[in-house]
Amino acid sequence: MRDEQRLPTGTPESRAFAQRVGVVMSLTARLNALPLDDLDGRRALLGEILAGAVPDSLTVLPPFFCDHGLRTTFGEKVFVNQGCYLLDLGGITIGDRVLIGPRVTLTTAGHPVEVDERFEAITHAPIVLEDDVWVGAGATICPGVTVGRGSVVGAGAVVAKDVPPLSVVTATSAVERRRLREPTRRP
């Protein structure tokens, strides 16, 4: 994946990440328990989750899930529908006037592909949704992807490579990209 970085497991940095995930999980549980009409309470908790002010024009419908919070930014007039997951260790930038449908997952993190390396690190790379993007219900945007301005990601799509501006992408087909090495060790 483009711009991939690794967070090695068992390090002070990975422990700090795990602690932050615990904090954000508690905050999102509180956010999701608030009455829908408690706009001030929801905005305050979003500010805690994201560690800063959120645009007044941002709408996030619960339930909402986020694992880190410190690396997500929202533009103006963004709408996030119910049941979305933002896994933002690698950073998520959401432009102006972006529409995010229900059950969308933006995941910036994963694990190394090779079997022998999977428990050694968390891989991560940023996601960028440029201005005027619409992401349909149940779509998944993978680490390292930029969705160009004005584009539409169709419902249920799995997007693993950049989307050019003013494009419509759809599909969920699995394509074998390569074969992995045989593991040298067994758990």
Side-chain angles (χ1 to χ4, degrees):
M1 97 186 64
R2 189 189 70 216
D3 298 328
E4 177 182 280
Q5 296 182 30
R6 290 185 179 210
L7 175 63
T9 57
T11 64
E13 294 82 9
S14 67
R15 286 189 285 283
F17 170 69
Q19 288 175 336
R20 176 66 186 170
V21 168
V23 167
V24 171
M25 287 177 70
S26 293
L27 291 170
T28 56
R30 288 176 39 210
L31 173 75
N32 293 330
L34 289 176
L36 187 60
D37 62 355
D38 187 354
L39 299 177
D40 291 335
R42 287 186 11 224
R43 183 161 307 289
L45 281 170
L46 275 172
E48 283 186 64
I49 292 166
L50 302 172
V54 295
D56 288 338
S57 61
L58 172 65
T59 300
V60 176
L61 297 182
F64 170 79
F65 305 95
C66 183
D67 72 340
H68 191 260
L70 299 179
R71 296 187 179 144
T72 295
T73 60
F74 290 95
E76 296 292 332
K77 296 183 179 178
V78 172
F79 177 82
V80 180
N81 212 323
Q82 301 175 55
C84 290
Y85 290 82
L86 276 60
L87 308 177
D88 70 335
L89 174 63
I92 297 173
T93 303
I94 299 173
D96 296 335
R97 299 169 307 279
V98 170
L99 301 172
I100 299 176
R103 296 180 296 104
V104 166
T105 299
L106 305 178
T107 182
T108 66
H111 294 276
V113 173
E114 293 298 335
V115 176
D116 288 338
E117 300 174 12
R118 288 188 191 154
F119 289 95
E120 294 175 1
I122 297 173
T123 59
H124 56 94
I127 290 174
V128 176
L129 304 181
E130 294 182 349
D131 295 346
D132 302 306
V133 164
W134 174 19
V135 182
T140 298
I141 311 293
C142 296
V145 167
T146 294
V147 179
R149 70 176 173 74
S151 290
V152 175
V153 174
V158 177
V159 182
K161 29 183 229 188
D162 289 350
V163 176
L166 301 170
S167 299
V168 176
V169 296
T170 62
T172 59
S173 61
V175 177
E176 182 178 346
R177 303 287 181 201
R178 66 181 174 126
R179 293 287 172 131
L180 301 176
R181 292 187 303 266
E182 190 64 38
T184 58
R185 58 183 176 210
R186 293 283 180 206

